[in-house]
Amino acid sequence: MQVQQTEAIVLAMFGTTVESALQDLLAIHTAVQAAYPQVQVNIAFTSNQIRRIWHRRATNPDYLAQHPEIPREILQIQGVLATIANLQDRGYVRLVVQPTHIAPAEEFHDLAAYVRGLLSIRTMKPRWRPFQAIGLGRPLLGTYSLKYAYADDIRIAAQALAADAELARRQAAALVYMGHGNHYFPSGGLYLEFAARMRELYPDVLTLIGTVEGFPSLDEVVANLRHHRATRVLLKPFLIVAGDHAINDLVGEEEDSWQSILRREGFAVTAEVKGLGPQVASIFVTHVAEAATEAGVELR
Amino acid sequence: MQVQQTEAIVLAMFGTTVESALQDLLAIHTAVQAAYPQVQVNIAFTSNQIRRIWHRRATNPDYLAQHPEIPREILQIQGVLATIANLQDRGYVRLVVQPTHIAPAEEFHDLAAYVRGLLSIRTMKPRWRPFQAIGLGRPLLGTYSLKYAYADDIRIAAQALAADAELARRQAAALVYMGHGNHYFPSGGLYLEFAARMRELYPDVLTLIGTVEGFPSLDEVVANLRHHRATRVLLKPFLIVAGDHAINDLVGEEEDSWQSILRREGFAVTAEVKGLGPQVASIFVTHVAEAATEAGVELR
Amino acid sequence: MQVQQTEAIVLAMFGTTVESALQDLLAIHTAVQAAYPQVQVNIAFTSNQIRRIWHRRATNPDYLAQHPEIPREILQIQGVLATIANLQDRGYVRLVVQPTHIAPAEEFHDLAAYVRGLLSIRTMKPRWRPFQAIGLGRPLLGTYSLKYAYADDIRIAAQALAADAELARRQAAALVYMGHGNHYFPSGGLYLEFAARMRELYPDVLTLIGTVEGFPSLDEVVANLRHHRATRVLLKPFLIVAGDHAINDLVGEEEDSWQSILRREGFAVTAEVKGLGPQVASIFVTHVAEAATEAGVELR
Amino acid sequence: MQVQQTEAIVLAMFGTTVESALQDLLAIHTAVQAAYPQVQVNIAFTSNQIRRIWHRRATNPDYLAQHPEIPREILQIQGVLATIANLQDRGYVRLVVQPTHIAPAEEFHDLAAYVRGLLSIRTMKPRWRPFQAIGLGRPLLGTYSLKYAYADDIRIAAQALAADAELARRQAAALVYMGHGNHYFPSGGLYLEFAARMRELYPDVLTLIGTVEGFPSLDEVVANLRHHRATRVLLKPFLIVAGDHAINDLVGEEEDSWQSILRREGFAVTAEVKGLGPQVASIFVTHVAEAATEAGVELR
């Protein structure tokens, strides 16, 4: 008799419409699937707008002809709730939901609210509960957790980015990351602690980080570069995908891109416009495993 | 510019695998759709087992050839969570979930838990909440509600079943309903109050009710029939669909069917093996409208 | 080293302002305390109005002089939330909350909401949770429970009231209970099932029950008395305390009391104006024990 | 007729056992009470251990004789749940709970869980809900809020501490704050953003901040002091009360106090061992007012 699999993994991503950037996301899917070859691993995009764009493309024969590389799963991509619910409908009642976010900010808060809401559904008889267990994985830089200190997650992320420091070192440049940041959650400390860990691990490279929104800003980065008398800068997005922010805000031709600003301020700037996805995919694999263990989901 | 519809209705049914009984359920769908021709009205079956049987049939070419009347929606039927979530994914964020249950017992309790769980999902920014509103309709016989007394719902149901009383009157028979009942929720009072209302509305017919599970039992019905010196009995399922319970427990050939037992006890028995669905469909339409109003869902 | 007790019991009662009726409530406290002599057992009154009256009396020297028998605990009686919270503040973090309600209706629903709300408080570190466990006991006639069928609770209650049946038998009277009832929860079935169990256990006594509010009404009782050609009636409140309802609605001098009505209808009426408290106190002791076991609260 | 007040304020403080430090907390109570002279304002201590010490002192005649200045409210201090519940029992059903925490970390998370749990209690009839509204005030440095950006709260806090900068300026010293910090919530960014705002507002003073637990550490502060070639340091606790941490960890005689370490590192150190309480009390008054408005609690 065949045993029905009841475990599955959902990768919750903000999403991207940039075809090249999509590979950064698919790299995470590939890594998780490789770690759990027998387990159903589904992607969800949390951005309503991005999903709509993919759905429109899915009905556009010209687009499809030009982009045969886009997987069907992306063309029919759903949000978190429907992705989870359709798995549940097929009998997958023990899930791990792994966000591919950098920091525990608004999106992680909202994702946790989804998981908590679904887990709160108590049927009268326990066997009819829609879910037996849902584990929620930590973002890249961790979150509040009694078991996994976020400081450790930050160190692990810094170790995974050794190649960035090495590239900056070879260029004798300061390494400046552009994070997303936000105005609501005080995630700035995570970024600054990450940069401090980078400087500790790679002491011959000045690693700094600024954010598109909130604290710390590019101004603070510039002040710091000056303070350390840096003249050369290697820019890199501190983002999972090299999408819109990377292409426009970081290295766009406009005069308010970070590259334009830093050049005007007199720095010699090069840029590595690649998402972190492939570099940190294995960290998310670990977070999946740890969330599964904590929630009692046995991934086979 | 086309305004995207954000309202939809989900009819939550236990489900049935009996093709003829399916019509009792589809009648409710038809009535609700007719009342709201512009609104998306989807059916969900709450029984995992019944869904699996339909999914198996959907892959069986012989079955499909023999049953061209089965709608595609039934062949691909989903549970409550997936039905709701797939609507949400398509932008339907104001829902009415209308159960087609008789009484507020285990299934209604569980359905309410689903709705409560989904409504509990609070995103940081209100505009990203998955649902703006979900109204939960009352079962046929009502539920605890400050606005809609269950006693009124019982009276309305009794009024809708005038034809049953009339049929029994013409046969000079007592009208004996078979309800489902249960061992956990004390729904017996609802059944007994319903029967009392029937006797009040149709005083020349002795209407009694028993349940397959729990209180009041067939024994109590028999004692009452004797007490009132009834000799003829018209049996009818007090169930939305004339499915398995109606076909086997009520009028089955086996000696423990109600018909067999009552005949052995000396009563002259006839039976009307029809589900209540078509008779009470318009009541569910009203319950949909009232739940929409209470939840602030404007069905257009 | 002295081990700090962390277990306590809260008896949640509607309350009464009638001094004589208070003994019916205190009898339950006495029984529970006797069963658990080492455990803190506190009373809470859920009625805001009743608590206010006791607080006013507590500041009235004349009243206090005339009623030296009223325990200080009653004069300072608090509601459920404060009673629970003050225990928690003193280190009692494993509680059993035992209602002394008859049926699982509005008050039980609300009490369950309190318990659920308090248990939902999740601190970041489990050791700072305000409560380690709260068990909620069943009302007299049970509630939906997978472990304790309400039908069994009804039978146990009927067995505890053998003396009532015996008294009616000696008077050759029908035994008519007055329950409270309500318009929102269909508790009528519980009452009717209770009456059916009484008739089964004590077949030579016609036991009937009506309610002050909702179904079944006194009219239904009268119709049943006539149907069974009863001429004598023994009235008894089906209420924990013989308070206002018992004194006025049941046997009051006014013409709309049950006694007046039944006499006008031609029945010979006697009444036993005693609350059920002392008769069923041991059942609540059992419910406390079972709730403790289910919640993992070890009452020593 | 006298209208019963239904609004009250609860000040949720960690608490302190240091009598002198207590004044820092009472200053906040005084400020809030002065702003709302007609409103009941109660203090709660969240630390179980600190409450127990006060309760022991309350039964020690020697202690009481030596400390006539300790208010009875502190000697009988309760935790958050009991403080709230006892107000509710007396009819205060519209509350503002104002924490006096610095940052939105573990304690704020737990306090929010209490408020959420209490607000989740839904009685069947809305008028019996234990609370009509509970507003939760923001910590000193704000929290995630769509209406009140935490960056603004940080700026307001920095403005309130002008005297600290002025004192450091007069001493030609760097101003070094000791925050509490923690290992679970990434509050480090808030501290660093606060320090950046201080340097912006008071550019002729180098303001830095380190934490007892977590990031940023004293090591990071020392590196920064060296980097800026500072030689003199003014130490001050960035804590509401100058309690145990201030007295021991900051300026204790032991060699691992910050003062000892900094002196060994060659800095000239002075210290201002005062809690922030009195300086920021008016900010908490504002947070009370804003929480009341958001929750619809009309403080008269």
Side-chain angles (χ1 to χ4, degrees), chain A residues 104 109 143-146 149-151 182-190 192-193 196-197 199-200 214-215 220 227-228, chain D residues 104 109 143-146 149-151 182-190 192-193 196-197 199-200 214-215 220 227-228:
Chain A
H109 171 279
T143 185
Y144 48 92
S145 156
L146 293 177
Y150 76 84
N182 77 89
H183 294 296
Y184 306 105
F185 273 80
S187 47
L190 290 166
L192 291 167
E193 190 166 343
R197 269 329 129 251
R199 295 193 297 267
E200 208 176 85
F215 175 84
E220 252 123 343
H227 196 85
H228 287 86
Chain D
H109 171 279
T143 185
Y144 49 91
S145 156
L146 293 177
Y150 76 84
N182 76 88
H183 294 296
Y184 307 106
F185 273 79
S187 48
L190 290 165
L192 291 167
E193 191 167 345
R197 270 329 130 251
R199 294 191 299 266
E200 206 176 86
F215 174 86
E220 251 121 345
H227 195 83
H228 288 86

Side-chain angles (χ1 to χ4, degrees), chain C residues 195-238:
Chain C
R197 268 332 127 251
M198 289 290 286
R199 295 192 297 267
E200 206 176 87
L201 283 170
Y202 317 110
D204 45 357
V205 174
L206 174 66
T207 299
L208 299 173
I209 194 163
T211 55
V212 184
E213 295 179 14
F215 175 85
S217 67
L218 180 57
D219 287 357
E220 252 121 346
V221 170
V222 170
N224 244 309
L225 287 170
R226 291 212 193 294
H227 196 84
H228 288 85
R229 302 167 195 279
T231 55
R232 307 184 63 85
V233 166
L234 168 62
L235 281 180
K236 198 181 171 207
F238 194 67

